[in-house]
Amino acid sequence: ASGCAYVAVYGTLRASGVNDIRRLAADVRQVGTTQLQGTLYDLGWYPGLRLHGGHPLVAEVYALNATLEQALDRIEGLWPHDMGEYVKRVVTQAVRAPDGAVQPLELLVYEATPHLVAGKPVIDGVVRRQRPRAARAISAEQHAPAHRLNAGAKPAAGSAR
């Protein structure tokens, strides 16, 4: 597990998206929104984000528990086998709560790998397509524990590469 208490989602996992994060585990709770900085790529069925540079991108922030993280790992191709498409990153971002309060939080972000986005078109920051990732759209009952951290990611406490 990443050790993070929150996750930021930016694509099909957003509320009302085809992989709506709220359907993946019981008691999924949105705590606010944040603005990630990066480049969003059109990967066909889903978007992929490369952090840093690029443009601001609004992401939804949710409380994260082990059950939800396992479901996300499966959707992002990190479990049961690492497909090499995404890595987990831990970033500290200002998060705006629904009441307007802003606080910095450590967030888990699934970042697309460079080879996955190579040659793909850039999206303007708004994910317009909501086609399902049919092979990976899952229910909470279909996942199991897994974690993988890229060497460049900030590992969570107790995590090993």
Side-chain angles (χ1 to χ4, degrees), residues 52-78:
H52 310 297
H55 305 284
L57 172 71
V58 175
E60 297 171 356
V61 178
Y62 292 86
L64 183 65
N65 60 40
T67 300
L68 180 57
E69 186 171 352
Q70 291 168 12
L72 293 169
D73 284 352
R74 182 170 181 135
I75 287 174
E76 302 298 1
L78 294 172

Side-chain angles (χ1 to χ4, degrees), residues 9-75:
V9 299
Y10 54 84
T12 63
L13 289 162
R14 294 176 308 167
S16 300
V18 295
N19 283 323
D20 187 329
I21 193 171
R22 298 170 301 176
R23 293 191 308 248
L24 299 180
D27 302 323
V28 174
R29 180 176 56 89
Q30 185 173 1
V31 298
T33 58
T34 192
Q35 199 168 64
L36 300 173
Q37 189 72 23
T39 303
L40 193 63
Y41 293 88
D42 183 345
L43 303 177
W45 292 93
Y46 52 93
L49 176 68
R50 291 289 302 157
L51 293 170
H52 310 297
H55 305 284
L57 172 71
V58 175
E60 297 171 356
V61 178
Y62 292 86
L64 183 65
N65 60 40
T67 300
L68 180 57
E69 186 171 352
Q70 291 168 12
L72 293 169
D73 284 352
R74 182 170 181 135
I75 287 174

Side-chain angles (χ1 to χ4, degrees), residues 6 34 91-96 101-107:
Y6 304 96
T34 192
V91 298
T92 301
Q93 293 288 128
V95 174
R96 181 173 303 280
V102 177
Q103 65 177 327
L105 296 175
E106 278 195 344
L107 308 173

Side-chain angles (χ1 to χ4, degrees), residues 1-2 69-70 73-74 78-81 88 110 144-148:
S2 67
E69 186 171 352
Q70 291 168 12
D73 284 352
R74 182 170 181 135
L78 294 172
W79 184 89
H81 300 85
K88 292 180 177 183
Y110 288 85
H147 71 279
R148 310 263 178 167

Side-chain angles (χ1 to χ4, degrees), residues 1 23 48 59 81 87 91 98 120 122 127 131 136 146 155:
R23 293 191 308 248
H81 300 85
V87 293
V91 298
K120 302 295 186 196
V122 173
V127 179
R131 297 180 295 190
R136 290 194 219 148

